[in-house]
Amino acid sequence: DIQMTQSPSTLSASVGDRVTITCRASQSISSWLAWYQQKPGKAPNLLIFKASSLESGVPSRFSGSGSGTEFTLTISSLQPDDFATYYCQQYNSYWTFGGGTKVEIK
Amino acid sequence: EVQLVESGGGLVQPGGSLRLSCAVSGFTFSSYWMHWVRQAPGKGLVWVSRINSDGSSTSYADSVKGRFTISRDNAKNTLYLQMNSLRVEDTAVYHCARDPHYYDSSGDRHWYFDLWGRGTLVTVSS
């Protein structure tokens, strides 16, 4: 089974900050990685697929990069609506999620 | 409106059974793979099960294999999860999710979850 490890688990930041979240896979997953945003009590929302492709309707301040086993999600300038929990997910072999990164207000 | 709406959650005793439903609207249900993903209180997302577009193929996480059954009724635009022999550790919000599941002309996989429901809470407790 492929394990996904996210870091950090919690991140404190201010509006306007550049934020980076890391996701590591236990084996190569090529570029078959997605990122999701989830707010409390709400459904997760797809942000990025194929490691770096922005889902339609997602603001351009979100970007993804990486391949193989190491990936990053970057928010170029954090906005008030971005305080949420972010999950990576591999879809190379079945589907596995990272443990999540909570982005909170500093 | 394009949406997924789960129902059927509730409180059940260990060893009991429950059937969850996911009603879909606004898109051609029979064109998509579907999944169940659960989230224990305060915890992360965990994939549970998937079913292909015509219902002929299914897969399960090891933690639920042999106890849970995923199915779908494309005529009723509804996805199901039959949960038997429930355990305390099955307590979670259960989300259904849509998977376009195709290869594009570049050979890229589109196997991610592009639409989710808000979930239904299952509590297993005596």
Side-chain angles (χ1 to χ4, degrees):
Chain A
D1 292 7
I2 300 174
Q3 309 302 318
M4 305 300 292
T5 304
Q6 277 182 244
S7 60
S9 55
T10 306
L11 188 159
S12 297
S14 302
V15 172
D17 284 355
R18 182 181 182 87
V19 166
T20 298
I21 299 168
T22 298
C23 179
R24 289 186 174 87
S26 60
Q27 64 189 73
S28 177
I29 59 170
S30 185
S31 295
W32 309 127
L33 184 102
W35 289 97
Y36 300 88
Q37 178 194 67
Q38 187 182 31
K39 297 179 180 178
K42 297 295 181 69
N45 183 48
L46 175 67
L47 300 174
I48 301 257
F49 60 92
K50 200 196 163 188
S52 61
S53 295
L54 197 66
E55 172 70 344
S56 177
V58 174
S60 58
R61 62 181 179 273
F62 291 93
S63 64
S65 65
S67 66
T69 61
E70 191 137 343
F71 303 86
T72 58
L73 173 70
T74 299
I75 308 172
S76 61
S77 178
L78 198 65
Q79 298 302 300
D81 192 48
D82 301 338
F83 291 98
T85 300
Y86 294 84
Y87 294 93
C88 63
Q89 176 208 39
Q90 69 82 18
Y91 53 96
N92 179 72
S93 174
Y94 290 89
W95 299 268
T96 315
F97 294 91
T101 297
K102 183 178 181 180
V103 177
E104 59 182 26
I105 300 172
K106 190 172 185 179
Chain B
E1 182 183 1
V2 177
Q3 63 178 357
L4 308 175
V5 180
E6 302 91 338
S7 61
L11 175 63
V12 61
Q13 292 189 337
S17 297
L18 215 53
R19 188 175 86 153
L20 306 183
S21 298
C22 170
V24 317
S25 57
F27 64 93
T28 304
F29 179 55
S30 60
S31 295
Y32 292 85
W33 285 35
M34 296 295 296
H35 300 256
W36 287 99
V37 176
R38 68 185 181 184
Q39 189 167 28
K43 302 296 185 182
L45 301 168
V46 177
W47 176 78
V48 172
S49 182
R50 68 88 181 163
I51 188 166
N52 70 343
S53 56
D54 66 7
S56 62
S57 173
T58 60
S59 298
Y60 300 91
D62 287 345
S63 58
V64 306
K65 202 172 294 183
R67 300 187 299 123
F68 290 11
T69 302
I70 190 172
S71 62
R72 64 192 297 161
D73 187 332
N74 285 346
K76 294 183 178 179
N77 289 337
T78 306
L79 173 73
Y80 302 101
L81 186 67
Q82 177 67 43
M83 304 186 296
N84 298 331
S85 303
L86 282 161
R87 305 168 180 168
V88 171
E89 56 265 35
D90 294 320
T91 294
V93 172
Y94 284 74
H95 300 273
C96 56
R98 185 179 80 172
D99 170 359
H101 213 85
Y102 68 95
Y103 287 95
D104 64 23
S105 58
S106 301
D108 289 340
R109 302 178 184 184
H110 294 260
W111 293 5
Y112 42 82
F113 302 171
D114 66 353
L115 181 68
W116 295 66
R118 293 183 63 168
T120 185
L121 176 62
V122 172
T123 303
V124 185
S125 174
S126 55

PDB file of all heavy atoms in Angstrom, chain B residues 100-125:
ATOM      1  N   PRO B 100     -14.294  10.827 -12.259  1.00  0.00           N
ATOM      2  CA  PRO B 100     -14.530  10.756 -13.704  1.00  0.00           C
ATOM      3  C   PRO B 100     -13.897   9.533 -14.365  1.00  0.00           C
ATOM      4  O   PRO B 100     -14.372   9.055 -15.388  1.00  0.00           O
ATOM      5  CB  PRO B 100     -13.910  12.047 -14.234  1.00  0.00           C
ATOM      6  CG  PRO B 100     -13.025  12.553 -13.157  1.00  0.00           C
ATOM      7  CD  PRO B 100     -13.555  12.032 -11.862  1.00  0.00           C
ATOM      8  N   HIS B 101     -12.830   9.060 -13.829  1.00  0.00           N
ATOM      9  CA  HIS B 101     -12.141   7.805 -14.180  1.00  0.00           C
ATOM     10  C   HIS B 101     -11.995   7.558 -15.675  1.00  0.00           C
ATOM     11  O   HIS B 101     -12.596   6.610 -16.214  1.00  0.00           O
ATOM     12  CB  HIS B 101     -12.824   6.608 -13.515  1.00  0.00           C
ATOM     13  CG  HIS B 101     -11.838   5.537 -13.170  1.00  0.00           C
ATOM     14  ND1 HIS B 101     -11.120   5.570 -12.000  1.00  0.00           N
ATOM     15  CD2 HIS B 101     -11.414   4.453 -13.852  1.00  0.00           C
ATOM     16  CE1 HIS B 101     -10.281   4.538 -11.981  1.00  0.00           C
ATOM     17  NE2 HIS B 101     -10.445   3.840 -13.089  1.00  0.00           N
ATOM     18  N   TYR B 102     -11.195   8.356 -16.324  1.00  0.00           N
ATOM     19  CA  TYR B 102     -10.885   8.114 -17.728  1.00  0.00           C
ATOM     20  C   TYR B 102      -9.448   8.534 -18.005  1.00  0.00           C
ATOM     21  O   TYR B 102      -8.807   9.198 -17.193  1.00  0.00           O
ATOM     22  CB  TYR B 102     -11.849   8.898 -18.628  1.00  0.00           C
ATOM     23  CG  TYR B 102     -11.691  10.395 -18.583  1.00  0.00           C
ATOM     24  CD1 TYR B 102     -10.909  11.060 -19.510  1.00  0.00           C
ATOM     25  CD2 TYR B 102     -12.349  11.153 -17.614  1.00  0.00           C
ATOM     26  CE1 TYR B 102     -10.758  12.433 -19.471  1.00  0.00           C
ATOM     27  CE2 TYR B 102     -12.212  12.524 -17.563  1.00  0.00           C
ATOM     28  CZ  TYR B 102     -11.421  13.165 -18.499  1.00  0.00           C
ATOM     29  OH  TYR B 102     -11.276  14.534 -18.449  1.00  0.00           O
ATOM     30  N   TYR B 103      -8.968   8.098 -19.155  1.00  0.00           N
ATOM     31  CA  TYR B 103      -7.691   8.559 -19.687  1.00  0.00           C
ATOM     32  C   TYR B 103      -7.987   9.592 -20.764  1.00  0.00           C
ATOM     33  O   TYR B 103      -8.826   9.344 -21.628  1.00  0.00           O
ATOM     34  CB  TYR B 103      -6.896   7.416 -20.321  1.00  0.00           C
ATOM     35  CG  TYR B 103      -6.288   6.442 -19.348  1.00  0.00           C
ATOM     36  CD1 TYR B 103      -6.942   5.263 -19.009  1.00  0.00           C
ATOM     37  CD2 TYR B 103      -5.036   6.688 -18.786  1.00  0.00           C
ATOM     38  CE1 TYR B 103      -6.369   4.356 -18.130  1.00  0.00           C
ATOM     39  CE2 TYR B 103      -4.453   5.781 -17.915  1.00  0.00           C
ATOM     40  CZ  TYR B 103      -5.121   4.618 -17.597  1.00  0.00           C
ATOM     41  OH  TYR B 103      -4.558   3.731 -16.728  1.00  0.00           O
ATOM     42  N   ASP B 104      -7.271  10.726 -20.732  1.00  0.00           N
ATOM     43  CA  ASP B 104      -7.488  11.703 -21.788  1.00  0.00           C
ATOM     44  C   ASP B 104      -6.578  11.394 -22.981  1.00  0.00           C
ATOM     45  O   ASP B 104      -5.847  10.402 -22.976  1.00  0.00           O
ATOM     46  CB  ASP B 104      -7.305  13.135 -21.277  1.00  0.00           C
ATOM     47  CG  ASP B 104      -5.883  13.424 -20.823  1.00  0.00           C
ATOM     48  OD1 ASP B 104      -4.940  12.740 -21.270  1.00  0.00           O
ATOM     49  OD2 ASP B 104      -5.708  14.368 -20.030  1.00  0.00           O
ATOM     50  N   SER B 105      -6.641  12.239 -23.989  1.00  0.00           N
ATOM     51  CA  SER B 105      -5.903  11.985 -25.230  1.00  0.00           C
ATOM     52  C   SER B 105      -4.386  12.007 -25.031  1.00  0.00           C
ATOM     53  O   SER B 105      -3.643  11.484 -25.869  1.00  0.00           O
ATOM     54  CB  SER B 105      -6.305  13.005 -26.295  1.00  0.00           C
ATOM     55  OG  SER B 105      -6.057  14.314 -25.826  1.00  0.00           O
ATOM     56  N   SER B 106      -3.937  12.593 -23.930  1.00  0.00           N
ATOM     57  CA  SER B 106      -2.498  12.611 -23.625  1.00  0.00           C
ATOM     58  C   SER B 106      -2.078  11.395 -22.815  1.00  0.00           C
ATOM     59  O   SER B 106      -0.899  11.259 -22.472  1.00  0.00           O
ATOM     60  CB  SER B 106      -2.153  13.875 -22.828  1.00  0.00           C
ATOM     61  OG  SER B 106      -2.493  15.034 -23.545  1.00  0.00           O
ATOM     62  N   GLY B 107      -3.035  10.558 -22.478  1.00  0.00           N
ATOM     63  CA  GLY B 107      -2.738   9.396 -21.655  1.00  0.00           C
ATOM     64  C   GLY B 107      -2.765   9.689 -20.165  1.00  0.00           C
ATOM     65  O   GLY B 107      -2.371   8.852 -19.354  1.00  0.00           O
ATOM     66  N   ASP B 108      -3.215  10.891 -19.800  1.00  0.00           N
ATOM     67  CA  ASP B 108      -3.292  11.244 -18.390  1.00  0.00           C
ATOM     68  C   ASP B 108      -4.523  10.611 -17.744  1.00  0.00           C
ATOM     69  O   ASP B 108      -5.598  10.586 -18.321  1.00  0.00           O
ATOM     70  CB  ASP B 108      -3.369  12.765 -18.215  1.00  0.00           C
ATOM     71  CG  ASP B 108      -2.051  13.434 -18.546  1.00  0.00           C
ATOM     72  OD1 ASP B 108      -1.013  12.732 -18.532  1.00  0.00           O
ATOM     73  OD2 ASP B 108      -2.060  14.644 -18.809  1.00  0.00           O
ATOM     74  N   ARG B 109      -4.325  10.191 -16.480  1.00  0.00           N
ATOM     75  CA  ARG B 109      -5.419   9.617 -15.708  1.00  0.00           C
ATOM     76  C   ARG B 109      -6.252  10.730 -15.066  1.00  0.00           C
ATOM     77  O   ARG B 109      -5.706  11.673 -14.528  1.00  0.00           O
ATOM     78  CB  ARG B 109      -4.881   8.764 -14.562  1.00  0.00           C
ATOM     79  CG  ARG B 109      -4.007   7.648 -14.948  1.00  0.00           C
ATOM     80  CD  ARG B 109      -3.517   6.919 -13.703  1.00  0.00           C
ATOM     81  NE  ARG B 109      -2.591   5.870 -14.073  1.00  0.00           N
ATOM     82  CZ  ARG B 109      -2.054   5.005 -13.242  1.00  0.00           C
ATOM     83  NH1 ARG B 109      -2.372   5.071 -11.961  1.00  0.00           N
ATOM     84  NH2 ARG B 109      -1.224   4.081 -13.663  1.00  0.00           N
ATOM     85  N   HIS B 110      -7.542  10.559 -15.108  1.00  0.00           N
ATOM     86  CA  HIS B 110      -8.455  11.455 -14.381  1.00  0.00           C
ATOM     87  C   HIS B 110      -9.210  10.579 -13.395  1.00  0.00           C
ATOM     88  O   HIS B 110     -10.360  10.226 -13.606  1.00  0.00           O
ATOM     89  CB  HIS B 110      -9.359  12.193 -15.356  1.00  0.00           C
ATOM     90  CG  HIS B 110      -8.612  13.137 -16.223  1.00  0.00           C
ATOM     91  ND1 HIS B 110      -8.564  14.499 -15.979  1.00  0.00           N
ATOM     92  CD2 HIS B 110      -7.840  12.916 -17.307  1.00  0.00           C
ATOM     93  CE1 HIS B 110      -7.795  15.069 -16.907  1.00  0.00           C
ATOM     94  NE2 HIS B 110      -7.354  14.136 -17.721  1.00  0.00           N
ATOM     95  N   TRP B 111      -8.528  10.200 -12.345  1.00  0.00           N
ATOM     96  CA  TRP B 111      -9.027   9.233 -11.379  1.00  0.00           C
ATOM     97  C   TRP B 111      -9.183   9.856  -9.993  1.00  0.00           C
ATOM     98  O   TRP B 111      -9.201   9.148  -8.996  1.00  0.00           O
ATOM     99  CB  TRP B 111      -8.069   8.043 -11.265  1.00  0.00           C
ATOM    100  CG  TRP B 111      -7.965   7.170 -12.470  1.00  0.00           C
ATOM    101  CD1 TRP B 111      -8.535   7.346 -13.693  1.00  0.00           C
ATOM    102  CD2 TRP B 111      -7.205   5.972 -12.557  1.00  0.00           C
ATOM    103  NE1 TRP B 111      -8.184   6.325 -14.534  1.00  0.00           N
ATOM    104  CE2 TRP B 111      -7.373   5.462 -13.874  1.00  0.00           C
ATOM    105  CE3 TRP B 111      -6.412   5.249 -11.671  1.00  0.00           C
ATOM    106  CZ2 TRP B 111      -6.772   4.281 -14.306  1.00  0.00           C
ATOM    107  CZ3 TRP B 111      -5.815   4.070 -12.086  1.00  0.00           C
ATOM    108  CH2 TRP B 111      -5.996   3.604 -13.400  1.00  0.00           C
ATOM    109  N   TYR B 112      -9.251  11.160  -9.934  1.00  0.00           N
ATOM    110  CA  TYR B 112      -9.378  11.863  -8.663  1.00  0.00           C
ATOM    111  C   TYR B 112     -10.862  12.096  -8.377  1.00  0.00           C
ATOM    112  O   TYR B 112     -11.723  11.671  -9.134  1.00  0.00           O
ATOM    113  CB  TYR B 112      -8.621  13.197  -8.733  1.00  0.00           C
ATOM    114  CG  TYR B 112      -8.842  13.884 -10.052  1.00  0.00           C
ATOM    115  CD1 TYR B 112      -9.980  14.631 -10.276  1.00  0.00           C
ATOM    116  CD2 TYR B 112      -7.934  13.727 -11.102  1.00  0.00           C
ATOM    117  CE1 TYR B 112     -10.220  15.203 -11.501  1.00  0.00           C
ATOM    118  CE2 TYR B 112      -8.150  14.311 -12.342  1.00  0.00           C
ATOM    119  CZ  TYR B 112      -9.305  15.042 -12.531  1.00  0.00           C
ATOM    120  OH  TYR B 112      -9.537  15.608 -13.752  1.00  0.00           O
ATOM    121  N   PHE B 113     -11.170  12.782  -7.279  1.00  0.00           N
ATOM    122  CA  PHE B 113     -12.548  12.969  -6.827  1.00  0.00           C
ATOM    123  C   PHE B 113     -12.952  14.419  -7.067  1.00  0.00           C
ATOM    124  O   PHE B 113     -12.543  15.315  -6.331  1.00  0.00           O
ATOM    125  CB  PHE B 113     -12.680  12.612  -5.351  1.00  0.00           C
ATOM    126  CG  PHE B 113     -12.265  11.200  -5.018  1.00  0.00           C
ATOM    127  CD1 PHE B 113     -12.157  10.808  -3.693  1.00  0.00           C
ATOM    128  CD2 PHE B 113     -11.987  10.267  -5.989  1.00  0.00           C
ATOM    129  CE1 PHE B 113     -11.782   9.510  -3.357  1.00  0.00           C
ATOM    130  CE2 PHE B 113     -11.607   8.964  -5.673  1.00  0.00           C
ATOM    131  CZ  PHE B 113     -11.498   8.598  -4.347  1.00  0.00           C
ATOM    132  N   ASP B 114     -13.768  14.654  -8.096  1.00  0.00           N
ATOM    133  CA  ASP B 114     -14.053  16.028  -8.494  1.00  0.00           C
ATOM    134  C   ASP B 114     -15.344  16.600  -7.917  1.00  0.00           C
ATOM    135  O   ASP B 114     -15.662  17.763  -8.147  1.00  0.00           O
ATOM    136  CB  ASP B 114     -14.036  16.171 -10.019  1.00  0.00           C
ATOM    137  CG  ASP B 114     -15.154  15.407 -10.703  1.00  0.00           C
ATOM    138  OD1 ASP B 114     -15.870  14.644 -10.012  1.00  0.00           O
ATOM    139  OD2 ASP B 114     -15.301  15.566 -11.927  1.00  0.00           O
ATOM    140  N   LEU B 115     -16.078  15.800  -7.162  1.00  0.00           N
ATOM    141  CA  LEU B 115     -17.302  16.280  -6.518  1.00  0.00           C
ATOM    142  C   LEU B 115     -17.546  15.416  -5.296  1.00  0.00           C
ATOM    143  O   LEU B 115     -17.437  14.183  -5.372  1.00  0.00           O
ATOM    144  CB  LEU B 115     -18.490  16.199  -7.478  1.00  0.00           C
ATOM    145  CG  LEU B 115     -19.834  16.690  -6.945  1.00  0.00           C
ATOM    146  CD1 LEU B 115     -19.790  18.204  -6.731  1.00  0.00           C
ATOM    147  CD2 LEU B 115     -20.958  16.333  -7.918  1.00  0.00           C
ATOM    148  N   TRP B 116     -17.883  16.052  -4.184  1.00  0.00           N
ATOM    149  CA  TRP B 116     -18.086  15.350  -2.918  1.00  0.00           C
ATOM    150  C   TRP B 116     -19.425  15.767  -2.306  1.00  0.00           C
ATOM    151  O   TRP B 116     -19.910  16.894  -2.512  1.00  0.00           O
ATOM    152  CB  TRP B 116     -17.008  15.736  -1.915  1.00  0.00           C
ATOM    153  CG  TRP B 116     -15.615  15.354  -2.229  1.00  0.00           C
ATOM    154  CD1 TRP B 116     -14.832  15.808  -3.257  1.00  0.00           C
ATOM    155  CD2 TRP B 116     -14.791  14.465  -1.467  1.00  0.00           C
ATOM    156  NE1 TRP B 116     -13.578  15.264  -3.188  1.00  0.00           N
ATOM    157  CE2 TRP B 116     -13.528  14.438  -2.088  1.00  0.00           C
ATOM    158  CE3 TRP B 116     -14.981  13.711  -0.304  1.00  0.00           C
ATOM    159  CZ2 TRP B 116     -12.465  13.658  -1.591  1.00  0.00           C
ATOM    160  CZ3 TRP B 116     -13.934  12.952   0.182  1.00  0.00           C
ATOM    161  CH2 TRP B 116     -12.693  12.926  -0.463  1.00  0.00           C
ATOM    162  N   GLY B 117     -19.971  14.880  -1.490  1.00  0.00           N
ATOM    163  CA  GLY B 117     -21.088  15.254  -0.636  1.00  0.00           C
ATOM    164  C   GLY B 117     -20.597  15.707   0.729  1.00  0.00           C
ATOM    165  O   GLY B 117     -19.440  15.473   1.086  1.00  0.00           O
ATOM    166  N   ARG B 118     -21.501  16.304   1.496  1.00  0.00           N
ATOM    167  CA  ARG B 118     -21.113  16.799   2.831  1.00  0.00           C
ATOM    168  C   ARG B 118     -20.991  15.683   3.859  1.00  0.00           C
ATOM    169  O   ARG B 118     -20.365  15.853   4.898  1.00  0.00           O
ATOM    170  CB  ARG B 118     -22.131  17.832   3.312  1.00  0.00           C
ATOM    171  CG  ARG B 118     -22.127  19.094   2.504  1.00  0.00           C
ATOM    172  CD  ARG B 118     -23.095  20.118   3.056  1.00  0.00           C
ATOM    173  NE  ARG B 118     -22.717  20.551   4.410  1.00  0.00           N
ATOM    174  CZ  ARG B 118     -23.259  21.581   5.017  1.00  0.00           C
ATOM    175  NH1 ARG B 118     -24.204  22.287   4.419  1.00  0.00           N
ATOM    176  NH2 ARG B 118     -22.888  21.926   6.238  1.00  0.00           N
ATOM    177  N   GLY B 119     -21.606  14.557   3.565  1.00  0.00           N
ATOM    178  CA  GLY B 119     -21.443  13.417   4.455  1.00  0.00           C
ATOM    179  C   GLY B 119     -22.619  13.167   5.379  1.00  0.00           C
ATOM    180  O   GLY B 119     -23.468  14.027   5.604  1.00  0.00           O
ATOM    181  N   THR B 120     -22.642  11.945   5.926  1.00  0.00           N
ATOM    182  CA  THR B 120     -23.624  11.542   6.917  1.00  0.00           C
ATOM    183  C   THR B 120     -22.878  10.859   8.062  1.00  0.00           C
ATOM    184  O   THR B 120     -21.967  10.067   7.830  1.00  0.00           O
ATOM    185  CB  THR B 120     -24.697  10.621   6.296  1.00  0.00           C
ATOM    186  OG1 THR B 120     -25.713  10.341   7.263  1.00  0.00           O
ATOM    187  CG2 THR B 120     -24.115   9.308   5.782  1.00  0.00           C
ATOM    188  N   LEU B 121     -23.256  11.184   9.289  1.00  0.00           N
ATOM    189  CA  LEU B 121     -22.535  10.705  10.462  1.00  0.00           C
ATOM    190  C   LEU B 121     -23.043   9.344  10.904  1.00  0.00           C
ATOM    191  O   LEU B 121     -24.242   9.156  11.134  1.00  0.00           O
ATOM    192  CB  LEU B 121     -22.663  11.704  11.606  1.00  0.00           C
ATOM    193  CG  LEU B 121     -22.040  11.299  12.945  1.00  0.00           C
ATOM    194  CD1 LEU B 121     -20.531  11.119  12.820  1.00  0.00           C
ATOM    195  CD2 LEU B 121     -22.372  12.340  14.023  1.00  0.00           C
ATOM    196  N   VAL B 122     -22.106   8.418  11.046  1.00  0.00           N
ATOM    197  CA  VAL B 122     -22.394   7.094  11.590  1.00  0.00           C
ATOM    198  C   VAL B 122     -21.695   6.993  12.937  1.00  0.00           C
ATOM    199  O   VAL B 122     -20.481   7.184  13.025  1.00  0.00           O
ATOM    200  CB  VAL B 122     -21.897   5.993  10.638  1.00  0.00           C
ATOM    201  CG1 VAL B 122     -22.025   4.620  11.290  1.00  0.00           C
ATOM    202  CG2 VAL B 122     -22.649   6.046   9.316  1.00  0.00           C
ATOM    203  N   THR B 123     -22.465   6.701  13.974  1.00  0.00           N
ATOM    204  CA  THR B 123     -21.902   6.543  15.310  1.00  0.00           C
ATOM    205  C   THR B 123     -22.180   5.132  15.779  1.00  0.00           C
ATOM    206  O   THR B 123     -23.341   4.705  15.847  1.00  0.00           O
ATOM    207  CB  THR B 123     -22.518   7.542  16.298  1.00  0.00           C
ATOM    208  OG1 THR B 123     -22.321   8.874  15.816  1.00  0.00           O
ATOM    209  CG2 THR B 123     -21.876   7.402  17.674  1.00  0.00           C
ATOM    210  N   VAL B 124     -21.114   4.388  16.078  1.00  0.00           N
ATOM    211  CA  VAL B 124     -21.231   3.021  16.570  1.00  0.00           C
ATOM    212  C   VAL B 124     -20.868   3.027  18.047  1.00  0.00           C
ATOM    213  O   VAL B 124     -19.710   3.263  18.408  1.00  0.00           O
ATOM    214  CB  VAL B 124     -20.331   2.059  15.782  1.00  0.00           C
ATOM    215  CG1 VAL B 124     -20.583   0.620  16.246  1.00  0.00           C
ATOM    216  CG2 VAL B 124     -20.571   2.200  14.287  1.00  0.00           C
ATOM    217  N   SER B 125     -21.857   2.787  18.863  1.00  0.00           N
ATOM    218  CA  SER B 125     -21.640   2.866  20.313  1.00  0.00           C
ATOM    219  C   SER B 125     -22.726   2.089  21.043  1.00  0.00           C
ATOM    220  O   SER B 125     -23.869   2.021  20.561  1.00  0.00           O
ATOM    221  CB  SER B 125     -21.653   4.328  20.766  1.00  0.00           C
ATOM    222  OG  SER B 125     -21.578   4.424  22.170  1.00  0.00           O
TER     223      SER B 125
END
